[in-house]
Amino acid sequence: MGYERQKDFGTPRVKSEKHVTLTIDGRAVTVPEGTTVMRAASEIGSSIPKLCATDNLKQFGSCRLCLVEIEGARGTPASCTTPAAEGMVVKTQTPRLDKLRKGVMELYISDHPLDCLTCSANNDCELQDQAAAVGLRDVRYGYEGANHLAEPTDHSNPYFDFDPSKCIVCSRCVRACDEVQGTFALTIDGRGFGSEVSAGQTLDNFMSSECVSCGACVQACPTATLQEKSVKKIGKPERAVVTTCAYCGVGCTFRAEMRGEQLVRMVPYKDGKANRGHSCVKGRFAWGYANHQDRITRPMVRDNIDQPWREVSWEEALSFSANKLNQIKRDHGARALGGITSSRCTNEETFLVQKLIRGGFGSNNVDTCARVCHSPTGYGLKTTFGTSAGTQDFDSVEDSDVILVIGANPTDGHPVFGSRMKQRLRQGAKLIVIDPRRIDLVKSPHIKAAHHLPLQPGTNVALLTAMAHVIVSEGLADEEFIRTRCDWDEYQDWARFVSQDKNSPEVLEGVTRVPAQSVREAARLYATGGNGAIYYGLGVTEHSQGSSTVMAIANLAMVTGNIGRKGVGVNPLRGQNNVQGACDMGSFPHELPGYRHISDADTRALFEKDWGVTLDPDPGFRINNMLDAAVDGEFRAIYIQGEDILQSDPNTQHVAAGLEAMELVIVHDLFLNETANYAHVFLPGSTFLEKNGTFTNAERRIQPVRKVMEPANGMEDWEVTQALANALGLGWSYTHPSEILDEIARLTPSFAGVSWDRLEREDSLQWPVNEEFPDGAPVMHVDGFVRGKGKFVVTDYVPTDEKTGPRFPLLLTTGRILSQYNVGAQTRRTANVEWHPEDLLEMHPSDAENRGLNDGDWTTLKSRTGETTLRVKVTDRVAPGVVYTTFHHPATQANVVTTDFSDWATNCPEYKVTAVQVMPSNGPSDWQEEYTDLSQKSRRIAGEMEPAE
Amino acid sequence: MSGSTIETLRRMANQIARNFEIMGHVDAVEATADHINMFWDPRMKKQIFGDGGQDLSPIAKAAIEELAQGEIPAHQTRATEFNAVDDIGQSDAG
């Protein structure tokens, strides 16, 4: 599409069963009751002048520009605050209104710089548009009086400027920060003529304030007061392409606004069904990595990892790879080969990688990063509900009365959904947080959790079982739901188990360290507070009982009847953008796309016929087993697309040993990541801006990813995989990802009704999309579980083998922070490092004092696996005995410390529980120094200057 | 803390067995065998079959012995029941 601003109806859409009909400028219009006159006029294309109104904020009525005349009414009411009424007759253009609007506009312009020609918002400015709309031709007051034109610009934020000289004090930015984002970082300081927008306290600027740089204020600003630096630098966009964000599992829709081949800005798309027009600092601003100087755009090879890289042609890199793969296959068999698909890549790319490994390499050694994040969700929800996908869409939260967040930090990990959740909480929904840390949601402006249960890491199952004990023993179970929807005999077995005294909150308090009374009150609230919705993240899954915890969550939802309608459900918050899709596409070693086991002859026959190959009937290795087998010499070659397992997977030394033992490591990525230190072939990748395809978000929503610029490396990632396949003689001939999507639809029943053309028309579809659900399924299990009855599963608490003791007395838990994403490969290469330049170790003041540590001191963090150094942040956000860090920076490598312990069912690593000791340090650990040397040596490229000492 | 591959396999088998223990010995043995049968690579199975049950819990040991004799256990949980070729019913998305 060409460039035009997104349609703005002025005030929000109103949901109402009743409708009213009114007449505006002689035209009849019917709207839901409660709709404003401004919105009703906009619905029929009559745009009433406005400045303080915008349709994602509540009506405010301050600018007085949207005045209208209403028959029988006195005066000239503001259309943005006047509800439409049956039979109302409205005029939006009269001589009287013209005069009033001109007078209002004249006052605004008398205190506004007249620099339109050199202003970055020229021709893209609502103030300019409205001045033209009201026909303002002169300002009778002159410009010599008191004004704000000399106010200095705040350049502190790396992505946008705040120029108060252009501010009209419409409060849209303040209201966006309050109503949409929920941070309340901005305010109007002063009164009358002295009123001005202020971030934080008097001496604050934007960067030092509470601002989280979500961009909502910039989007709301009708002038150039809050403006992206990129617009100032590049100029006004000339076209916009709607695409899907490549960060977290929320899957926000954005307009990539372009000027030529240059991306000017990413603006949240108001019609995006996952984000409803909102964004976070990552999706909105942190896309500069796409053009970062570290980006590798030419293929490279080397015979061994001690050598510098050698830039080669695509042909040479592909034939080098194919020859080695063929040789290893001849010498050691197909099962010595494998690969890893990426949850950051598209469905089509992921599908092709697993197809290459199964059909080309000839083994089922394919795994994906979901192994280390949400694989227990798969196991747990499939066992209990019969299908493991999240049960709701994001809109569902608007109907929740009680929100239970366990092991997730939505305001940091899934910030756009976190903001929507906060909107609902501010409307009055109750909040229960189960987390060892006091996450921001527990207490933030206008939000206070009814209960925060700060449990000991590793005791999720015990705590949830204690809650179930309360619900069953106090008669709070929804027996009608259970009898209708679940297996009654299994429920009775489970109810007997949870009712035992050993599972009471009082007995388990010794395990969880959560006061029994708090557990009882939280359980009662969840069971009796109306629509109860559970949202969870990796604090649930990344444990030795991750799968059991997911089943315990499902048990709670079933016993209270909180399944199958809006406002309830069990909602896994997926970490990466396409975790759901990567799994749908057959990325696990035991199953083909559509969750069909590899041992099923009929399923194999379907794929064998379509692909013209013979498939191995046995499951392959999971990632951790691939690494073990590599050390044993049984696994020798790996193709890794878009993953950095050396930094992201646990026990770094073991990952390194596995990679080092392999004869061929092919890394297909944007950057020479940490895994590439052990690689022999580097195939340059393309960013989400440079490719077509689809992502599937945490709501099962399949959304298009559209190419906005040509790939810097010359090929989209699916083309690279196809080229590798063809170097192996597979003869693939896809010309566009839509053809791959057609193949997926042909072979995968839940995608049967999905096509590129349909996504172009409908923007997104939530699977399953087939004969039974031709338009997809926003909420699952509405009239019954998709497959049979709901099953209650007895979840016995089994303590982790990772124990604290005199040598390792503290428990380390890990997580992520708002400004950074996963291993930081993208966000570390943006200005987001200004918020988080290094990983820090959070420690309770009492633990810090016992060790003589002060805020900012360097510490050694040591476990049974390894040690690293990082600086300490003293905070009571963590409980005594618990420390916390992030894993965004390779210089820290938190995973040097984490262990091989993993979920019993899926081998998802136990990142959240590691016994550690912390002590003062003078500098980097031996491992860090050695790794820094290796890393520098390994990144040498022949012909490039050596870095200066 | 990484041990040898066989140590890892023993730990995995014991962990699976321990989490099924609440089902009672007989059912737990079947569930453990079913789980390993559906999710483990043949080389992992072969390696633990040849290990003689060393350091395995009674449930894990019985499950491994059952599989080593070539018995195919019936599915004990829905986690090991997969979609048929034309079925949309289940997902085990991670």
Side-chain angles (χ1 to χ4, degrees), chain A residues 335 374 382 384 386-388 545 574 580 583 591 594-597 621 632 634 651 787 789 899-900 902, chain B residues 1-2 5 12 15-16 19 35 38 43 78-79 81-85 87-94:
Chain A
R335 287 177 171 175
H374 265 289
K382 183 178 173 193
T384 49
T387 183
S388 81
Q545 280 201 294
R574 310 288 189 179
Q580 180 72 55
C583 298
E591 62 196 359
Y595 306 102
R596 289 162 293 179
H597 201 269
F621 284 135
D632 294 346
E634 289 200 21
N651 192 352
R787 194 182 190 91
K789 296 272 189 180
T899 71
D900 288 330
S902 62
Chain B
M1 62 157 280
S2 274
T5 302
M12 288 169 65
Q15 212 184 346
I16 296 163
N19 276 276
H35 186 96
M38 295 301 283
R43 285 164 290 185
R78 283 203 292 213
E81 291 173 7
F82 288 81
N83 289 340
V85 65
D87 191 1
I88 67 149
Q90 304 177 87
S91 140
D92 60 356

Side-chain angles (χ1 to χ4, degrees), chain A residues 3-16:
Chain A
Y3 180 77
E4 58 184 38
R5 233 180 275 143
Q6 297 182 69
K7 170 93 174 161
D8 186 346
F9 292 87
T11 61
R13 180 193 303 275
V14 172
K15 289 183 199 166
S16 175

Side-chain angles (χ1 to χ4, degrees), chain A residues 704-717:
Chain A
V705 179
R706 296 189 177 92
K707 184 159 81 171
V708 301
M709 60 180 73
E710 288 304 312
N713 61 337
M715 281 200 264
E716 298 179 39
D717 288 330

